[in-house]
Amino acid sequence: MPLTPNTSRSSKKQTSGSFIDRLLLPIIVGLATVVAALILWQRLITEQRVEIQAATRAHASFVKDKLEAELRARILSLDRLAGSWKDLDLADDRTTQSGASLMSSYRAYQTIGWMDPTFQVRWLRSQSDADTDIGSYLANDAHQRLAFQEAQDSGRVVVTPVTLQTGAHGLLVCAPVFQEQKLHGFLFGVVDDQELLSSILAGVEQNYWVAVYDGEKELYGSAGSDAPRALGWASEARIDFGQLSLRVRVWPKPQTLASERSPLPTVTFIAGILMAALLAFAVFIGETAQHHAREVAMINRDLQKEIAGREQAEEALRQVQKMEAIGRLAGGVAHDFNNLLMVIRGHAALSHNYFGADHPIHQELNEILEATDRASSLTRQLLAFSRKQVLQHKVLDLNSIVNQAARLLIPALGENIHLSLDLDSSLGLVKADAAQLEQVIMNLAFNARDAMPDGGTLTIQTANTQLDESWKQSYPNLRPGPHVLLAVRDSGCGMDPATQSRIFEPFFTTKERTKGTGLGMATVYGTITQSGGCVTVSSKLGEGTTIQVYLPRTEETLEVAAAKFGLLPEPTKACERILVVEDDGAVRRMTCEFLKIKGYAVVEANSAADAIQFMESHRDSIDLVLTDVSMPKMKGTELAERLTSLRSGLKVLYMSAYTEDAAINSGILGAGNAFIEKPFSPDELASKVRQVLSVSADCHAA
């Protein structure tokens, strides 16, 4: 089937939607894996940062401890020296020697001196000559004198920052010297803080930068001004020593950070990204495979449905072909048998009229006539199944037909079977043969009665319904559209599938031989199929059976039944002339004999060609043409058209067991076509002929 633009756009949308659906889960899995990798990377980075910060704090604590220990050692040395001087005379050379020895041991001391209680420098020893004025500066500076005063008051060593006249920074260490509880003087020393801190911190700066601050003032910095300050990794410690309050800052050098930083977080993050891509790809492949599997499964289901549909259609076609073949066989047999019955019944009827009632053979002739009537009934049922019967189709109200049949069914069903009618008040009209449709209802009702030997409920339902294209798979000749439903439901014993498959076959019956011919359901099938409908069966053992009859709904108006022609009294002598056209010699002779007995003049023709030739070569008046419907080379309707073109106003009466004419092959007989069914008796033929001849001249055969 060619693709329209809308179909193409719909197909593209479906493909795009399918592709997006397949991408959705891989994207979710990939993002989830990336998030997991980021979380793990963050945890590893955090742990690494914690480890580096812990190492930095440990190193800062180490620097603090070392500074405190070294400061204590240097201050303690001056304090010890001051203690040894309390018993010495300042003029003693040992004081000078001990001061020089202390300066040589601790080169951070720039100056060591002695100051009396009046804050006069009595003795001073310096590393260089430039520092000789330190003593006078200390003695005269009021701020520095406060440190000496504090040392005197506390009796302990005082350490305080000092800014010299040169602008240099250092530490002033002041140790009071008492002799006999009396202040003897002060031993003081000025320490170069850079020299002091450099000597103390030597060897602890291999992996870390170190800076020492007094408040915000940097006293010492090993990193220099151009060193990067990795403040995020820095750790600080406070040193409270005497009057000093120092702050130590330690942070790792770049090479230390590089060595401390593990490549594991980066490797983990990259591996997570790769894993996310791999998982997303694997999930996409899986989704694609699953999508293809669903498509294959869907295609398989569609194929199975199509195969099942084709098998069902093939089975329905085989069933139709089987029923058609049986119907042709039955129709052919019925047609030939009807012709034989015509001859048998005709001779029996003539003999019956010839011999009186007191003649010994009269009773035997009655038996022959009754037997031929029963045989004729069987052939009519066969013709109904084979759809070779002639149906008088009219627009009907199915509810009216059901009500008429119900009046006959109530006494026939018996007291133990309840008849229930469920009729749709808005039921549409159908076009069918009223007599045959009533016979269908009777046949279905009697079958339902026989299925309920112990009694039950028989329900007849009518309703409007719509049949779609799917019905053509099971019923190829059915036309989808609006239909009328006739359902006959019983509460009897039900049927198994094997019985249901053969229910419409002629002569198939589940009853005893003496209780059924097996033609009831075959007649139903033939009549409904010939009327353009179909029949379905639904049954389960022990649950009853429902037969559903579907007939096409018509929009034509309901026909008003015309008054039937009454039987006119036969004239003593008939003067009309009738042309009899019949290809079967025995039937033709018997028909002519019937007409002659009734006083008609008869002209025989054994074929349509003979009839046309007679009409063309003779100008004698012909009042009626009695012709068989089915004849070799030319059908009865074709013959009627030819003859009426030769003689206008010519009346025609058709006779047949069934018709194969194209116009009535479906069982439709046009209005105005007079018809008599074989076999018929002399009286039946005479009555029908008189009825046709008595019709006004403008009502002629089509």
Side-chain angles (χ1 to χ4, degrees), residues 29-164:
V29 172
L31 289 177
T33 307
V34 169
V35 170
L38 285 172
I39 293 174
L40 181 59
W41 175 77
Q42 184 63 35
R43 289 195 60 181
L44 293 175
I45 289 294
T46 302
E47 291 178 0
Q48 194 177 71
R49 179 184 290 274
V50 170
E51 291 176 358
I52 294 175
Q53 289 177 341
T56 304
R57 284 196 300 270
H59 197 72
S61 179
F62 169 73
V63 171
K64 171 190 172 184
D65 294 342
K66 186 173 179 62
L67 279 174
E68 288 178 346
E70 291 294 332
L71 285 173
R72 189 176 295 109
R74 282 160 174 73
I75 300 305
L76 183 60
S77 63
L78 186 66
D79 188 28
R80 287 176 179 176
L81 181 61
S84 65
W85 280 15
K86 66 182 180 179
D87 296 328
L88 295 177
D89 187 2
L90 295 178
D92 194 342
D93 293 338
R94 287 182 296 177
T95 58
T96 306
Q97 292 175 357
S98 61
S101 175
L102 180 62
M103 290 182 64
S104 61
S105 299
Y106 299 101
R107 298 188 61 82
Y109 281 102
Q110 292 181 335
T111 301
I112 296 178
W114 174 262
M115 183 180 290
D116 62 18
T118 63
F119 302 108
Q120 297 295 321
V121 177
R122 299 297 184 182
W123 176 83
L124 187 67
R125 177 104 178 174
S126 301
Q127 294 281 3
S128 63
D129 295 337
D131 297 330
T132 55
D133 293 334
I134 293 178
S136 60
Y137 170 73
L138 294 175
N140 296 325
D141 186 72
H143 179 71
Q144 303 303 328
R145 288 175 63 178
L146 289 176
F148 287 97
Q149 187 66 45
E150 184 179 353
Q152 178 183 348
D153 295 340
S154 64
R156 293 180 299 176
V157 177
V158 174
V159 181
T160 183
V162 63
T163 302
L164 303 179

Side-chain angles (χ1 to χ4, degrees), residues 316-331:
L317 181 60
R318 283 194 294 269
Q319 183 71 13
V320 170
Q321 290 174 343
K322 180 181 74 172
M323 301 300 284
E324 188 71 24
I326 296 175
R328 287 198 188 100
L329 175 62

